[in-house]
Amino acid sequence: MRAVRVAKFGGEENLKLQSDVSIPKPMADEVLIRVKAAGINPVDTYIRQGNFLPDLKPPYTPGTDGAGIVEEVGEAVKNFHKGDRVLAVFNQSGTYAEFCTAKVKHVCHLHNSLSFNQGAAIGVPYYTAYAAIFFKGKVKPGDTVMVHGASGGVGVACVQILKAHGCKVIGTAGTQEGLDLVLAQGADRVFNHREKGYMEKIAEEFSGSNCINVIIEMLANVNLNADLITIGRQGRIVIIGSRGSIEIDPRHTMMKNLSVVGMTLLNIKDDEVKEMHAAIFAGQRFGWLKPQVAKIYSLEDAGKGHHDVIHNSQTLGKLVIDTSL
């Protein structure tokens, strides 16, 4: 099969397409998926640089999530069958390939209303968003939630999930196209995070009984101290993205009894994944889950996708690889 391989850790130039890679065999509790589309996520670049999974050794095939058709099932698999349309949140062998294996506990059915490219935009973004909102943010219907960086894959997922659960949503983006996209997902207010003094405007508008209850933070190394100042009493800040360090004043947490927590999907428990499968499929079935695909790449252009997911801050939605290209 064709698959992208990483022979050594380093830059995106180390992503090389090979045409003679063996098709993996599923274990008893796994499915073999004919991959139609793979998601490109920031975490894939961290792994490629050798900074994220210390036990992983090259060569390997990258790709965390994806969508496709079940080709074969392990002997212990009961709820999936050959021919099923599925998405994988995690996988065993890498989704930047024509086939991959995945533990059945990490696989969810893909509704017929969504394309495979849309399916590849669900895994990491929507499961991350759900976990951040409910498991860490303890969000309740009626809460006011700010999504910092709402025009990217995870941000769009956050807005859709929050609005479907009765929350008031404040979103930020860095371009007019991004602001329009966030509004189109149902956000109640949007702010340009490239505009000087925008956090002061948010703090002025949302205070007292109209305060922000939860902030979902994509770039904590830039925004965290301002988040601490802006959020209301008893607020929760959930960090799901950071690219460095930042100096903060911890007294802000004391004065308002704030909670600051971080999360990654790698630490999610099996029972939480089961809950998310049910919620995510319900979102597909009832139509409020609408993945936004920003750009589509071929397997050969995976390196370009890795560059864009980190360096193109104007990306609107999720970047995906279409394996048929």
Side-chain angles (χ1 to χ4, degrees):
M1 68 171 181
R2 294 188 307 147
V4 175
R5 299 289 283 171
V6 176
K8 63 179 181 178
F9 292 129
E12 58 254 20
E13 68 277 3
N14 290 325
L15 297 170
K16 303 292 185 182
L17 180 61
Q18 297 182 15
S19 58
D20 57 351
V21 180
S22 298
I23 296 175
K25 292 292 293 181
M27 303 292 286
D29 60 344
E30 296 176 356
V31 297
L32 175 67
I33 300 171
R34 181 183 293 271
V35 180
K36 295 294 187 178
I40 301 175
N41 300 286
V43 69
D44 299 335
T45 70
Y46 308 153
I47 294 170
R48 186 205 69 232
Q49 293 167 345
N51 298 329
F52 207 75
L53 296 178
D55 294 335
L56 179 66
K57 306 298 181 186
Y60 73 95
T61 295
T64 307
D65 53 6
I69 300 172
V70 174
E71 183 74 15
E72 184 181 343
V73 300
E75 59 187 25
V77 176
K78 306 299 181 185
N79 53 337
F80 291 95
H81 304 89
K82 183 175 180 178
D84 285 353
R85 302 173 85 248
V86 295
L87 65 94
V89 188
F90 297 119
N91 73 96
Q92 300 302 107
S93 60
T95 55
Y96 294 12
E98 292 177 318
F99 292 90
C100 78
T101 53
K103 295 287 186 184
V104 70
K105 66 182 180 181
H106 294 144
V107 177
C108 178
H109 285 97
L110 177 65
H111 198 269
N112 291 332
S113 61
L114 298 179
S115 69
F116 289 113
N117 285 335
Q118 287 178 303
I122 293 175
V124 168
Y126 281 83
Y127 284 73
T128 296
Y130 189 96
I133 290 166
F134 297 114
F135 300 154
K136 295 299 183 180
K138 309 296 183 184
V139 171
K140 304 181 299 298
D143 279 348
T144 296
V145 182
M146 177 177 169
V147 181
H148 223 148
S151 61
V154 178
V156 165
C158 284
V159 176
Q160 292 177 1
I161 293 171
L162 288 164
K163 292 308 297 180
H165 289 81
C167 297
K168 185 174 184 178
V169 179
I170 306 160
T172 78
T175 66
Q176 187 58 52
E177 293 79 7
L179 296 171
D180 292 342
L181 174 64
V182 177
L183 280 174
Q185 308 313 306
D188 299 276
R189 290 285 280 117
V190 294
F191 293 85
N192 190 327
H193 56 222
R194 296 186 185 278
E195 182 181 306
K196 186 176 180 180
Y198 80 98
M199 286 296 280
E200 288 81 358
K201 292 182 179 179
I202 294 173
E204 182 178 349
E205 183 172 340
F206 296 93
S207 60
S209 61
N210 188 39
C211 68
I212 297 171
N213 305 112
V214 178
I215 294 178
I216 307 297
E217 182 53 70
M218 314 288 178
L219 196 60
N221 60 294
V222 173
N223 302 317
L224 184 55
N225 201 59
D227 292 342
L228 294 171
I229 296 170
T230 304
I231 198 167
R233 294 181 183 277
Q234 311 295 332
R236 288 88 69 197
I237 299 171
V238 184
I239 298 173
I240 58 178
S242 184
R243 298 180 190 172
S245 60
I246 184 174
E247 182 176 335
I248 66 169
D249 185 347
R251 287 176 293 185
H252 293 309
T253 67
M254 300 160 59
M255 297 301 292
K256 292 189 284 188
N257 282 18
L258 304 181
S259 297
V260 180
V261 297
M263 67 142 291
T264 171
L265 276 182
L266 295 175
N267 295 325
I268 295 300
K269 302 174 184 176
D270 288 351
D271 60 335
E272 293 173 330
V273 175
K274 186 176 180 180
E275 175 183 330
M276 289 191 287
H277 283 330
I280 295 304
F281 188 74
Q284 298 178 61
R285 181 183 177 191
F286 293 107
W288 57 258
L289 188 153
K290 301 175 181 178
Q292 302 294 306
V293 177
K295 191 172 181 180
I296 300 171
Y297 302 81
S298 65
L299 283 168
E300 190 173 13
D301 288 333
K304 178 72 164 55
H306 270 220
H307 178 273
D308 290 349
V309 79
I310 291 297
H311 298 291
N312 188 352
S313 60
Q314 299 181 14
T315 296
L316 307 178
K318 178 79 176 280
L319 306 181
V320 304
I321 291 172
D322 185 330
T323 61
S324 68
L325 297 179

